[in-house]
């Protein structure tokens, strides 16, 4: 059906290819001028976000430290660096900041850019998606140091200890450590010389071999020194076919699995090595035998010694289970590459402890401890390796019998030493630490305090920090006893089975971890399990068949909902429970004996619990009995169509976000447009839509449908999207009948994604809805002006925004927060697409991709237009009956501020780097994530009251 929504007067031009090329304007380089302060009238028109932060949100945090004995510890958090891993470094720094800062520990943030320039940055900048998100803003928003020496001098004068979270070059090769050592600045982690010795994979392998450890046969290739004949000889020396023998090719001095590839035969191995050189990843490459049939593992080791006496204790190792692609037309090697490490994928699962024999696990823990001591590592590290079950056919057998790593069940080999392990929210550090009683905050603070104890100059500072922490804790406990108050129970629910479920897991995990910091809250994470194969379109059956699991701390820390769900069943298997309990008790006993000697150790703060399964209705009854509030983080499906909202409302359970009617309306993009269609005179417009049943599309002539769409929508290019999905799922730009055919075939084949560049215009990977939606929406594709982040020129050290300004329309996303009828618009964000015409799911939500401009620079959008835009957004929110919080996506005219509605998300993404966080941080004063999520929870309480 074609909606009778007349194109507005200011609808962006929809040029044909001919007219598009005829219009040319000189691109403009734009300075990032700071926004002017709002006029008093503007400030009174819409109350700032802090106005809706209740006193309870502030009171729930730790009491003020004023008047207490002791002094906060000053920690300098340094991230970034010149390697390709600086995006992961940013994510790690954000996580560390979230979990160590407090009134007893003050964090200052610093960033090293890819040109090795040092900057002091605000903590708010850590919530950018990527370094490129703020690289070009550094000149105006950060304090630059003229040299690294000046930076080190600044640290010596302003912090007690540095926590480096630079992965790869300059972070793990001893670079930052040497700089700090020369300036006599204490730091967390291993000294520079020891870092240099352990970081190079080839040198470390030689050292391991010399010390009697089993090692993986390898061959070193240096840039411009590749001798193919020698490589072929090496293949022959280890009985590997030089034509097709399977090997791993990887940089010797890089981490995060960057550049790691599989090769077959000497020729291809040489080509892959040259590829690593040409990409500038490293100038030394190591070629290793592929351990066919092996199981990869990783182990965190914690130094719990006193002073300079190292006492490494290895936590419960993790088995990394890799699976081949289930698609027969996609051939992928089972290696733990960058995507499998950091992005949601069903091709990897983690098992802590490993499903190995007890003797093998003991061997791993003993070997990791020996390596930690031998290489002179400090505070903490992560060591990776392989377990190769007998018989170990991938290894030469000559002298291996006497090497360390041989067990009755197979061979244990250690391959990589990670001096600064990743510290993202779901990283191995936190997975393993939570299994033995440490929360994120407790393990990080334990690492910092252990590091402090190694430096005589920090004895007094460490004692003062410990005294302050203890007095603050005692004051909190006394306040609880005096007031006689019980903790308010809250449940965070996430998961489901829509294409948005992985984003939901990231959102729910982030919300849960941020709310953990409030002493007056008892927060339980919950997984909405898949619907047991029932169609999500059969709502009645779907509701009754749903299960909800309440989760222990450690089970949440996974990359996919499928993995969390599988881990729930694994965690209640009697044999698995017995093994895990025994190993956990063993490690915790070792930790307790060592850490009890430390005055500063505050004890374990995570208990050993099992997941519990409820039906959805049983779970709601349980929540009601607990007098709890529910934070809904389920994107799409029953989490966003009003179903969960209706069930909770019927039970009298308070919850976050809009009510059932508004949720149901906004889930349906057509209904949303109809609900605000009458607001055109206020500058609010909608896009013409043609709605078609998917079944009809797949049965009809695609050429006829294409011609019909062009005629009805009066456009040359079409935007297609599912009628009831979000998060960019299934959204694509179609330019010809062949594009429509590709899209239709993906629906017919129930493909989970469209590969990059399979349509006629370049684009990224497009996640597809599975199962296919019942109906699709076709709209004119709205042409907007491309914003480009320029590269540094030879005569200019800064980067600029380049914007053509032809169409005067830009895509924005805006968060709205508040009570019903009183919704407040946050500052809009412009997200710069890195590839294609549609923002990818990863660009929207995954830290490490995307560039956000919040608010739009004054050189692009005038102050008056910005205020008009925000008023339009607030009017839409109030007209739709939104409450709590939501996100509105729209096109905005940068001259007039009028808006063209795209869609409304009533359960928007709440991942660590989502634009909602960016927008809350631009409020005055900035609203940091923990207070932002607490505000949303308090709005749910207020509605219930």
């Amino acid at each position: 059906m074609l909606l009778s929504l007349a194109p507005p007067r200011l609808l962006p031009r929809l040029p044909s290819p001919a007219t598009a090329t005829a219009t040319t304007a000189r691109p403009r380089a734009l300075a990032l001028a700071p926004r002017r302060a709002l006029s008093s009238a503007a400030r009174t028109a819409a109350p700032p976000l802090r106005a809706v932060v209740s006193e309870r949100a502030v009171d729930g945090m730790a009491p003020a430290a004023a008047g207490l004995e002791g002094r906060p510890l000053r920690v300098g958090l340094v991230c970034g660096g010149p390697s390709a891993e600086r995006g992961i470094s940013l994510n790690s720094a954000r996580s560390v900041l979230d979990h160590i800062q407090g009134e007893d520990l003050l964090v200052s943030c610093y960033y090293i850019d890819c040109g090795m320039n040092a900057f002091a940055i605000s903590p708010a900048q850590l919530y950018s998606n990527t370094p490129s998100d703020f690289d070009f803003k550094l000149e105006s928003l950060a304090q630059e140091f003229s040299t690294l020496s000046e930076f080190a001098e600044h640290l010596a004068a302003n912090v007690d200890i540095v926590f480096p979270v630079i992965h790869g070059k300059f972070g793990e090769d001893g670079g930052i450590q040497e700089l700090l050592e020369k300036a006599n600045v204490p730091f967390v982690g291993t000294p520079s010389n020891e870092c240099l010795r352990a970081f190079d994979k080839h040198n470390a392998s030689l050292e391991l071999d010399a010390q009697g450890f089993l090692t993986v046969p390898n061959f070193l290739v240096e840039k411009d020194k590749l001798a193919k004949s020698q490589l072929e000889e090496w293949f022959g020396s280890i009985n590997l076919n030089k034509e097709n023998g399977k090997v791993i090719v990887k940089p010797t001095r890089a981490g995060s699995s960057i550049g790691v590839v599989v090769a077959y035969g000497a020729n291809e191995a040489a080509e892959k090595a040259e590829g690593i050189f040409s990409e500038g990843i490293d100038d030394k490459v190591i070629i290793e035998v592929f351990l066919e049939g092996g199981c990869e593992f990783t182990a965190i080791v914690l130094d719990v010694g006193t002073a300079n006496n190292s006492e490494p204790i290895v936590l419960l190792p993790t088995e990394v289970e890799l699976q081949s692609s289930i698609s027969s037309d996609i051939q992928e090697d089972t290696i733990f590459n960058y995507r499998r490490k950091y992005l949601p994928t069903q091709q990897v699962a983690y098992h802590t402890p490993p499903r190995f024999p007890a003797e093998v696990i003991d061997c791993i823990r003993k070997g990791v401890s020996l390596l930690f001591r031998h290489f002179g590592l400090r505070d903490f590290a992560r060591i990776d390796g392989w377990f190769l079950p007998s018989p170990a056919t991938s290894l030469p057998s000559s002298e291996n019998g006497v090497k360390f790593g041989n067990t009755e069940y197979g061979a244990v080999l250690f391959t990589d030493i990670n001096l600064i392990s990743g510290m993202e929210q779901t990283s191995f550090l936190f997975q393993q630490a939570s299994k033995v009683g440490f929360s994120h905050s407790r393990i990080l603070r334990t690492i910092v305090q252990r590091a402090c104890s190694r430096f005589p100059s920090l004895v007094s500072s460490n004692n003062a920090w410990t005294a302050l922490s203890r007095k603050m804790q005692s004051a909190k406990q006394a306040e609880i006893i005096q007031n006689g108050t019980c903790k308010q129970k809250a449940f965070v629910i996430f998961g489901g089975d829509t294409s948005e479920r992985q984003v939901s897991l990231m959102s729910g995990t982030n919300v849960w971890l941020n709310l953990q910091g409030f002493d007056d809250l008892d927060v339980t994470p919950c997984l909405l399990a898949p619907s047991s194969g029932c169609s999500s379109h059969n709502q009645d059956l779907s509701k009754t068949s749903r299960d909800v699991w309440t989760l222990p701390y450690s089970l949440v820390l996974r990359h996919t909902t499928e993995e969390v769900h599988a881990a729930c069943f694994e965690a209640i298997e009697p044999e698995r429970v017995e093994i895990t309990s025994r190993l956990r008790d063993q490690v915790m006993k070792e930790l307790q004996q060592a850490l009890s000697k430390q005055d500063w150790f505050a004890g374990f703060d995570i208990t050993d619990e099992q997941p519990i399964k409820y039906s959805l209705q049983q779970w709601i009854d349980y929540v009601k009995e607990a007098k709890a509030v529910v934070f809904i983080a389920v994107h799409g499906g029953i989490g966003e169509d009003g179903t969960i909202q209706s069930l909770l409302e019927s039970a009298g359970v308070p919850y976050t976000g809009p009510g059932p009617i508004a949720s149901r309306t906004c889930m349906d993009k057509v209904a949303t447009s109809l609900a605000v269609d009458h607001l055109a005179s206020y500058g609010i417009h909608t896009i013409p839509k043609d709605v078609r049943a998917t079944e009809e599309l797949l049965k009809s002539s695609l050429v006829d449908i294409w011609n019909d769409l062009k005629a009805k929508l009066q456009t040359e290019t079409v935007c297609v999207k599912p009628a009831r999905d979000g998060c960019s799922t299934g959204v694509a730009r179609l330019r010809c009948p062949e594009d429509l055919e590709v899209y239709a075939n993906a629906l017919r084949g129930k493909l989970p994604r469209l590969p990059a560049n399979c349509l006629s215009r370049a684009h990224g990977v497009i996640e597809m809805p599975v199962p296919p939606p019942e109906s699709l929406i076709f709209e004119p594709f709205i042409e907007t002006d491309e914003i480009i982040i320029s590269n540094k020129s030879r005569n200019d050290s800064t980067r600029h925004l380049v914007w053509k300004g032809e169409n005067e329309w830009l895509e924005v996303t805006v968060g709205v927060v508040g009570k019903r009828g009183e919704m407040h618009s946050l500052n809009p964000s412009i997200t710069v697409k890195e590839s294609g015409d549609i923002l990818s799911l990863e660009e929207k939500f995954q830290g490490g991709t995307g560039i956000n401009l919040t608010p739009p620079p004054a050189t692009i959008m005038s102050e008056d237009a910005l205020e008009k835009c925000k008023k339009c957004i607030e009017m839409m929110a109030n007209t739709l009956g939104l409450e709590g919080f939501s996100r509105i996506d729209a096109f905005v005219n940068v001259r007039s501020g009028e808006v063209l509605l795209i869609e409304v998300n009533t359960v928007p993404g709440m991942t660590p780097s989502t634009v909602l966080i960016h927008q809350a941080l631009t409020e005055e004063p900035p609203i940091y994530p923990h207070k932002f999520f607490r505000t949303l929870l308090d709005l749910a309480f207020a509605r219930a009251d």
Side-chain angles (χ1 to χ4, degrees), residues 670-912:
V670 174
T672 308
S673 293
L674 291 172
V676 299
D677 190 34
H678 64 288
L679 301 177
S681 61
Y682 297 97
I684 299 169
H685 310 286
T686 57
I687 305 173
K689 292 175 170 58
D690 188 284
V691 183
R692 295 177 184 256
T694 302
E695 186 177 357
E696 172 201 345
L697 177 76
L698 299 180
K699 290 180 179 179
S700 305
S701 164
L702 295 181
V703 173
D704 291 344
I705 289 179
W706 178 258
N707 291 332
D708 191 41
L709 288 172
K710 284 176 58 179
K712 287 183 177 179
L713 299 175
Q714 299 180 10
T715 182
E716 292 297 320
T717 60
V718 172
C719 181
V720 60
K721 61 183 72 172
R724 296 170 61 86
D725 272 295
C727 295
S728 296
T729 301
V731 182
R733 180 181 186 178
L734 310 179
R735 300 172 63 87
C736 57
E738 290 75 20
D739 285 349
L740 180 59
E741 183 178 7
V742 170
Y743 193 90
N745 287 338
L747 293 173
R748 185 178 290 108
K750 300 181 180 180
L751 298 182
R753 62 191 61 87
L754 280 176
N757 303 325
C758 68
L759 301 176
S760 59
R761 180 172 173 135
H763 62 86
V765 173
I766 299 173
E767 300 291 331
M768 294 295 288
V770 178
E774 288 185 334
S775 56
L776 297 166
I777 292 176
F778 294 89
E779 301 172 340
F781 182 84
I782 306 301
E783 296 282 358
T784 57
D785 289 313
E786 185 177 25
I787 299 175
I788 300 172
I789 309 300
S790 70
N791 293 320
K792 294 181 180 180
S793 65
R794 184 174 301 175
N795 300 320
D796 188 359
S797 60
T798 60
R799 303 177 75 193
H800 303 280
L801 295 174
V802 178
W803 177 58
K804 291 182 179 180
E806 292 176 357
N807 290 302
E808 298 186 352
W809 287 84
L810 289 172
E811 185 175 347
V812 296
T813 185
V814 194
V816 288
V817 181
K819 298 179 180 179
R820 185 171 181 176
E822 303 174 10
M823 295 299 282
H824 165 66
S825 170
L826 303 178
N827 278 312
S829 297
I830 300 173
T831 301
V832 181
K833 300 182 287 290
E834 293 190 329
S835 62
D837 300 300
I838 308 293
L839 286 175
S840 70
L841 182 145
E842 291 168 11
E843 284 175 324
K844 275 191 173 182
F845 302 110
Q846 174 64 37
T849 58
I851 298 173
N852 291 305
L853 306 177
T854 308
T859 44
I860 290 181
M861 190 174 185
S862 71
E863 196 72 51
D864 290 342
L866 177 63
E867 287 306 304
K868 170 70 173 178
C869 170
K870 292 170 74 172
K871 290 182 185 302
C872 288
I873 294 295
E874 289 172 352
M875 180 175 290
M876 272 197 288
N878 292 327
T879 299
L880 291 166
L882 303 182
E883 54 188 313
F885 74 116
S886 294
R887 193 190 80 233
I888 297 177
D889 297 337
F891 297 102
V892 61
N893 185 286
V894 297
R895 303 290 177 240
S896 68
E898 297 196 46
V899 298
L900 186 61
L901 175 63
I902 299 173
E903 65 180 17
V904 180
N905 296 274
T906 54
V907 184
M910 292 163 279
T911 63

Side-chain angles (χ1 to χ4, degrees), residues 238-282:
I238 58 172
N239 299 319
L240 202 61
N241 190 311
K242 69 177 183 179
E243 302 298 331
N244 57 16
K246 192 173 181 180
V247 293
I248 297 287
V249 184
K250 59 186 178 183
T252 63
R253 295 166 296 186
S256 299
S257 298
I258 290 174
V260 179
V261 292
V262 170
Y264 294 86
N267 286 338
E268 188 176 12
E271 291 173 4
K272 296 289 179 70
E274 291 291 354
I276 293 172
F277 297 146
S278 64
E279 291 178 31
I281 299 173
D282 201 352

Side-chain angles (χ1 to χ4, degrees), residues 149-378:
S149 296
E150 182 191 4
F151 171 51
E153 291 170 6
H154 166 87
L155 293 173
N158 291 278
V159 305
D160 297 316
I161 191 168
V162 167
F163 198 141
V165 287
I166 299 176
H167 303 308
K169 187 177 180 182
F170 195 66
E172 295 180 87
D173 62 0
I176 183 72
Q177 293 81 4
E178 183 180 12
L179 178 72
L180 298 172
E181 287 165 352
K182 288 180 178 178
N184 293 315
V185 179
F187 58 89
V188 174
T190 298
S192 61
N193 287 336
E194 287 74 10
C195 282
L196 186 62
R197 191 158 63 112
F199 182 60
D200 187 298
K201 293 179 175 64
H202 183 254
N203 291 343
S205 176
L206 295 177
E207 185 85 14
L208 285 170
D209 185 62
Q211 293 300 316
F213 285 83
L214 280 175
T215 57
V216 182
N218 62 71
F219 183 85
L220 178 67
V221 179
E222 297 184 75
K223 187 177 181 180
D224 300 325
K225 296 181 181 179
L226 175 58
K228 195 172 294 185
S229 60
Q230 293 179 3
L231 179 58
E232 291 178 351
E233 289 177 11
W234 176 76
F235 267 74
S237 69
I238 58 172
N239 299 319
L240 202 61
N241 190 311
K242 69 177 183 179
E243 302 298 331
N244 57 16
K246 192 173 181 180
V247 293
I248 297 287
V249 184
K250 59 186 178 183
T252 63
R253 295 166 296 186
S256 299
S257 298
I258 290 174
V260 179
V261 292
V262 170
Y264 294 86
N267 286 338
E268 188 176 12
E271 291 173 4
K272 296 289 179 70
E274 291 291 354
I276 293 172
F277 297 146
S278 64
E279 291 178 31
I281 299 173
D282 201 352
D283 56 12
K284 291 170 65 179
V285 165
I286 190 171
I287 299 174
E288 294 180 342
V289 171
F290 186 95
L291 298 177
E292 205 73 62
C295 301
E296 194 166 358
F297 66 81
T298 186
I300 297 291
V301 56
L302 192 64
D303 183 1
V304 294
T306 56
N308 280 317
N309 298 316
S310 176
E311 188 176 344
I313 292 180
V314 182
L315 307 186
L316 292 181
T318 299
E319 173 193 354
V320 180
E321 182 188 10
L322 299 175
Q323 300 165 347
S324 299
S325 172
I326 58 175
S327 175
S328 59
D329 59 341
I330 301 176
Q331 295 299 320
E332 291 188 79
D333 285 297
T334 49
I335 59 171
F336 196 35
N337 57 23
Y338 179 92
R339 181 175 181 86
R340 286 178 174 135
K341 254 184 190 176
Y342 298 111
L343 302 179
T345 171
Q346 296 183 47
Q347 297 175 19
V348 62
Y350 304 120
H351 305 276
T352 308
R355 299 167 302 174
F356 304 158
E359 180 188 341
V360 173
I361 296 175
D362 289 343
C363 179
I364 291 171
R365 296 189 67 234
K366 181 180 178 182
V368 168
S369 179
L370 289 171
L371 290 180
F372 191 92
R373 288 182 186 274
H374 176 75
F375 280 95
L377 310 188
R378 293 291 182 268

Side-chain angles (χ1 to χ4, degrees), residues 374-409:
H374 176 75
F375 280 95
L377 310 188
R378 293 291 182 268
D379 301 333
F380 78 116
R382 195 188 86 233
I383 296 178
D384 304 336
W386 289 79
F387 168 54
L388 208 56
S390 298
T393 56
S394 301
L395 296 176
S397 56
S398 54
E399 74 285 355
N400 283 339
V402 296
K403 295 274 190 177
F404 180 90
N406 279 300
T407 73
E408 176 186 350
Y409 302 95

Side-chain angles (χ1 to χ4, degrees), residues 300 315 428-439 443 606:
I300 297 291
L315 307 186
F428 291 122
L429 172 65
F430 301 126
Q431 286 184 32
Q432 295 181 22
S434 64
K435 280 288 189 180
V436 292
F438 292 104
S439 66
I443 188 63
I606 299 296

